[in-house]
Amino acid sequence: MTGSRGIAAYTDEEFLDGGWEEVREAAGAHWWSTMRLAGLEALHRSAVHLVRGTEPTIRELLLNVTIPRTCMRSEDDEPFAAETQLVDAGVALVPIPNCGHNIMLGNADAFARETARALQGT
């Protein structure tokens, strides 16, 4: 597993002592090209903190603010459990085609277009 959960499964020491090489191989050249931009310690520690989560959660923040909100997700992803809750709270849920988890890299044009649309309120 190469996402945050996979990286966080290593201890700091395991990751620095070669676990990062396993992650690099599993991630492949494209993903590693973005992951390598962070120092190894930073990559591991950010993954640990992402897995731990935040209080309040991003979903709770989206539900509780009163400004217009947009949440983008890959069109290929399975719907997630909170989609209905977000839509019911007035959050615009926008599926982005032809991309993976990192929408900004997978389909930069659609990301920019939908970001501009959200900022314009259309």
Side-chain angles (χ1 to χ4, degrees):
M1 186 177 345
T2 59
S4 293
R5 290 195 191 287
I7 294 170
Y10 294 92
T11 65
D12 275 334
E13 186 175 287
E14 291 169 338
F15 189 75
L16 296 174
D17 286 344
W20 69 270
E21 293 168 318
E22 295 173 2
V23 170
R24 179 190 63 199
E25 294 305 312
H30 177 73
W31 272 106
W32 186 253
S33 70
T34 62
M35 296 165 81
R36 70 168 179 77
L37 298 174
L40 294 176
E41 296 92 350
L43 179 61
H44 182 262
R45 291 177 186 163
S46 65
V48 168
H49 288 282
L50 284 168
V51 169
R52 185 179 303 146
T54 60
E55 291 290 330
T57 65
I58 297 296
R59 180 177 58 249
E60 290 167 338
L61 292 171
L62 280 173
L63 291 172
N64 293 318
V65 296
T66 58
I67 61 173
R69 296 140 299 160
T70 299
C71 178
M72 292 181 228
R73 69 169 183 81
S74 172
E75 185 176 76
D76 295 333
D77 286 351
E78 293 293 321
F80 55 93
E83 281 189 11
T84 302
Q85 188 180 22
L86 290 172
V87 171
D88 289 348
V91 177
L93 189 62
V94 179
I96 304 296
N98 306 315
C99 67
H101 174 73
N102 196 330
I103 295 167
M104 296 157 283
L105 292 177
N107 191 338
D109 290 339
F111 173 78
R113 183 177 52 253
E114 293 302 333
T115 299
R117 183 174 291 149
L119 291 171
Q120 293 171 351
T122 60

